[in-house]
């Protein structure tokens, strides 16, 4: 079997178009413009690239984009004061603090200071708790993107066996909660899991979020399973480098029913879901119906 390729780039373009249409209607019918504020502390090159791309895509879908670039030695008090001001700003519906923060800043404290209704990354403890108890929350963007692709491919996920490899707060755990919410039987595997190969072989759905280049070989995959590769790993390629995922693409694609490539799979969905979350936050803040198909 050769797997169907799940094209995350095309899917993300569709999500952005849907968001853009909805934003147009909000403007025309309610005079509302969803606003996203991104806060970047320091000059981490990868973070700068992400922030630029977030700002550009936010504007492209017709939303307001505000960027706050703070010096690397910004004090915690100053950062918290900025977040407080953004919490109080009615034109801002989503606040994202780009992680990682410089070491002198307490990430938990900073994320905890964001109004949960504006926490478009879904990292605030209130949103984590709401998601864990199956209530309406802001859902972390990367797992939300994976869920959207899985729903689109399968329709219903009910009763499927899902294995999530990785237990991070950003990807693994929320991904498992979302799959549980869609009535999968979920296993979370991690660095201490015994017989990982056997665990993965049981899965109809495999989500790999580990950060180890090509660690999942094709002979771990149940024939016909759907493989969602969250990993983004840069590896040497002659004198240059290239990106690979956490699964060995060629051997997995030969066995799986469907697979996301790296790049061009989960990656583009993350920012698209950030825009979707900002739109959702704006609708909720104004007592309007949420956009269909763009939430968990
Ligand atoms: P993390 O380092 O926080 O977590 C990695 C997890 O993998 C841990 O829970 C650990 O227990 C598990 N793990 C480590 N070694 C293992 C092993 N040998 N076997 C089984 N499990 C093992 O990473 P993260 O933030 O969850 O990110 C995971 C990957 O996803 C990274 O490559 C990251 O770059 C990528 N990522 C991509 C996006 C995107 O937009 N596509 C977003 C976030 C993260």
């Amino acid at each position: 079997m050769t797997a169907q390729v799940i094209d995350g780039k095309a899917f993300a373009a569709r999500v952005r178009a849907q968001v853009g249409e909805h934003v147009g209607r909000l403007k025309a019918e309610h005079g509302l413009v969803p606003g996203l504020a991104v806060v970047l502390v320091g000059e981490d090159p990868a973070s700068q690239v992400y922030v630029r791309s977030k700002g550009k895509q936010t504007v492209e879908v017709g939303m307001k984009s505000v960027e706050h670039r703070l010096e690397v030695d910004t004090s915690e008090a100053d950062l918290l004061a900025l977040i407080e001001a953004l919490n109080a700003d009615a034109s801002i519906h989503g606040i994202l603090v780009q992680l990682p923060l410089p070491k002198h800043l307490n990430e938990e404290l900073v994320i905890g200071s964001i109004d949960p209704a504006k926490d478009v990354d879904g990292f605030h403890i209130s949103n984590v708790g709401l998601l864990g108890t199956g209530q309406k929350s802001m859902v972390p963007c990367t797992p939300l993107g994976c869920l959207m692709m899985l729903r689109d491919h399968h329709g219903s996920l009910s009763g499927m066996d899902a294995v999530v490899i990785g237990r991070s707060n950003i990807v693994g755990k929320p991904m498992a909660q979302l799959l549980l919410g869609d009535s999968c039987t979920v296993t979370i595997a991690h660095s201490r899991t015994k017989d990982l190969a056997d665990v993965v072989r049981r899965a109809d759905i495999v989500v790999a979020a580990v950060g180890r280049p090509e660690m999942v070989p094709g002979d771990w995959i149940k024939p016909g399973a759907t493989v969602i590769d969250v990993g983004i790993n840069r590896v040497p390629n002659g004198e240059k480098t290239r990106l690979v995922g956490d699964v060995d693409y060629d051997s997995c694609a030969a066995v799986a029913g469907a697979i996301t490539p790296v790049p061009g799979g989960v990656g583009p969905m993350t920012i698209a879901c950030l825009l979707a979350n900002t739109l959702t936050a704006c609708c909720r803040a104004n007592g309007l119906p949420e956009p269909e198909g763009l939430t968990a």
Side-chain angles (χ1 to χ4, degrees):
M1 166 180 276
T2 303
Q4 181 185 331
V5 179
I6 300 178
D7 184 344
K9 206 171 157 193
F11 199 117
R14 289 206 298 279
V15 170
R16 288 196 303 273
Q18 248 177 295
V19 170
E21 276 170 32
H22 206 103
V23 169
R25 283 202 299 277
L26 278 184
K27 265 185 211 166
E29 293 167 18
H30 304 278
L32 280 171
V33 179
L36 173 66
V38 177
V39 180
L40 174 63
V41 187
E43 288 175 0
D44 178 65
S47 294
Q48 283 183 327
V49 173
Y50 288 138
V51 168
R52 244 198 318 277
S53 181
K54 283 168 186 169
K56 184 168 166 274
Q57 294 189 31
T58 305
V59 171
E60 277 168 6
V61 294
M63 294 185 185
K64 169 177 159 169
S65 164
V66 179
E67 278 177 32
H68 292 273
R69 292 170 181 266
L70 308 182
E71 297 293 327
V72 69
D73 58 356
T74 298
S75 71
E76 203 160 83
D78 284 352
L79 178 56
L80 293 176
L82 171 62
I83 293 173
E84 208 179 308
L86 294 170
N87 283 341
D89 184 340
S91 74
I92 296 297
H93 305 93
I95 303 170
L96 182 149
V97 177
Q98 185 67 43
L99 301 179
L101 287 171
K103 290 217 162 40
H104 68 284
L105 299 169
N106 178 339
E107 265 180 24
E108 273 175 27
L109 184 76
V110 170
I111 299 303
S113 73
I114 299 173
D115 175 351
K118 297 189 179 189
D119 167 39
V120 281
D121 249 345
F123 296 160
H124 191 288
I125 197 78
S126 297
N127 283 315
V128 176
L130 290 167
L131 177 61
T133 48
Q135 299 179 70
K136 199 177 268 191
S137 64
M138 293 307 304
V139 175
C141 302
T142 301
L144 178 59
C146 296
L147 182 76
M148 282 184 188
M149 292 194 285
L150 284 166
R151 283 180 176 168
D152 183 67
H153 184 74
H154 287 285
S156 168
L157 308 182
S158 180
M160 296 180 86
D161 280 317
V163 170
V164 179
I165 318 175
R167 56 176 161 182
S168 74
N169 291 336
I170 293 173
V171 189
K173 282 184 206 152
M175 187 73 245
Q177 294 287 5
L178 288 170
L179 291 165
L180 196 57
D182 270 28
S183 300
C184 291
T185 302
V186 183
T187 303
I188 306 178
H190 48 79
S191 51
R192 302 291 174 89
T193 297
K194 284 185 199 152
D195 300 326
L196 183 58
D198 281 350
V199 172
V200 174
R201 270 188 205 112
R202 282 187 242 135
D204 304 310
I205 293 170
V206 180
V207 181
V210 183
R212 287 180 162 241
E214 300 173 319
M215 74 164 272
V216 178
D219 66 1
W220 290 14
I221 303 297
K222 176 168 151 181
T226 299
V227 177
I228 305 289
D229 192 352
V230 182
I232 303 178
N233 309 291
R234 196 165 277 287
V235 296
N237 184 28
E239 288 186 357
K240 296 187 176 165
T241 60
R242 68 187 176 105
L243 289 184
V244 298
D246 288 343
V247 311
D248 177 47
Y249 185 83
D250 289 343
S251 65
C252 288
V255 188
I259 189 165
T260 59
V262 177
V266 176
M269 288 298 286
T270 298
I271 299 185
C273 287
L274 172 67
L275 304 177
N277 277 351
T278 305
L279 172 62
T280 300
C282 177
C283 292
R284 286 182 187 166
N286 289 282
L288 295 168
E290 290 175 16
E292 261 176 54
L294 296 177
T295 56

